[in-house]
Amino acid sequence: QVQLVESGGGVVQPGGSLRLSCAASGFTFSSYGMNWVRLAPGKGLEWVAFIRYDGSDKYYADSVKGRFTISRDNSKNTLYLQMNSLRAEDTAVYYCAKNQGLSDYEQFDYWGQGTLVTVSS
Amino acid sequence: AIRMTQSPSSLSASTGDRVTITCRASQDISSYLAWYQQKPGRAPKLLIYAASTLQSGVPSRFSGSGSGTDFTLTISCLQSEDFATYYCQQYYNYPRTFGQGTKVEI
């Protein structure tokens, strides 16, 4: 069965950095686009970033562009999110989510359980 | 970015009720629209994609309709396990965007 397991969350000071990981299993990871989505306290879901199956294309929300970098290691079945210059407003639960199909127009069919990032001094 | 606007932001209902949530896109997104359910402390769950296609394993009391800019999620007979927050999401272009959510409460 498909499993996505995030890790790497924690408490970090404003301006600091953190790298999240998402370990995937139960499907051919190297065939699917992957996403990061976050849920801030008291807010709604916000899409953060996407990476194509082979890493050739990446897209970002304006709120994180230039500060966050999405990447993947298909040999390790792992998705990453490098977060730099963190701000209080980046405090959220971060989920990795798998595209359902192989096209450029895909919904997210599997999600991890999330990892909490808290940016605070 | 395409703005997704849901209404209402919250609603109170009882088990057995028929519930309708609407989602409006700021531009034409064809049928590239998904609905998700999220319960506190849990990951979102895909309910409907392509505006009206029920995801495998999702009860048939959930249905979706619409195309272009106006979409609807309907729960035909609300069950206790349906009390949650519901989000629409467009996947027509990047950045992907979600509606602000509709909280369905008892």
Side-chain angles (χ1 to χ4, degrees):
Chain A
Q1 71 281 21
V2 172
Q3 279 201 315
L4 298 170
V5 180
E6 301 95 338
S7 60
V11 180
V12 60
Q13 291 187 339
S17 298
L18 213 53
R19 188 177 84 154
L20 306 183
S21 299
C22 170
S25 60
F27 67 103
T28 306
F29 179 72
S30 60
S31 294
Y32 290 88
M34 296 293 296
N35 303 268
W36 287 99
V37 179
R38 66 186 181 184
L39 181 67
K43 300 289 183 65
L45 294 172
E46 180 186 19
W47 173 84
V48 173
F50 164 82
I51 185 168
R52 204 171 291 279
Y53 69 97
D54 58 357
S56 60
D57 280 316
K58 303 174 185 180
Y59 299 97
Y60 298 92
D62 286 346
S63 59
V64 307
K65 202 173 294 183
R67 300 187 299 123
F68 290 12
T69 301
I70 189 171
S71 63
R72 65 192 297 159
D73 186 337
N74 286 344
S75 69
K76 296 182 178 179
N77 289 347
T78 303
L79 175 72
Y80 302 101
L81 185 68
Q82 177 66 44
M83 304 186 295
N84 297 333
S85 303
L86 282 161
R87 306 166 179 166
E89 54 265 34
D90 296 318
T91 295
V93 175
Y94 285 74
Y95 299 97
C96 61
K98 168 188 167 291
N99 275 8
Q100 184 159 23
L102 306 181
S103 79
D104 287 336
Y105 303 93
E106 293 294 341
Q107 59 283 350
F108 309 155
D109 62 344
Y110 286 95
W111 300 62
Q113 85 289 350
T115 188
L116 176 62
V117 172
T118 303
V119 184
S120 173
S121 55
Chain B
I2 297 174
R3 182 176 178 85
M4 306 300 291
T5 304
Q6 286 181 234
S7 62
S9 296
S10 64
L11 64 90
S12 295
S14 302
T15 54
D17 284 354
R18 181 183 182 89
V19 168
T20 299
I21 299 169
T22 64
C23 177
R24 175 163 288 177
S26 61
Q27 68 180 71
D28 189 340
I29 60 169
S30 185
S31 295
Y32 296 113
L33 190 283
W35 290 97
Y36 300 88
Q37 175 194 68
Q38 188 172 32
K39 298 179 180 180
R42 304 287 297 274
K45 174 185 176 182
L46 176 64
L47 299 176
I48 287 172
Y49 63 95
S52 60
T53 301
L54 198 66
Q55 175 69 352
S56 176
V58 174
S60 58
R61 63 181 180 272
F62 291 92
S63 64
S65 65
S67 67
T69 60
D70 293 308
F71 303 87
T72 299
L73 172 70
T74 299
I75 310 172
S76 60
C77 183
L78 201 65
Q79 302 298 302
S80 58
E81 60 266 33
D82 300 336
F83 291 97
T85 300
Y86 294 84
Y87 296 92
C88 62
Q89 180 228 346
Q90 65 82 17
Y91 50 97
Y92 178 76
N93 68 7
Y94 288 98
R96 302 305 198 215
T97 45
F98 290 88
Q100 80 278 16
T102 295
K103 187 172 184 179
V104 177
E105 302 175 290
I106 300 173

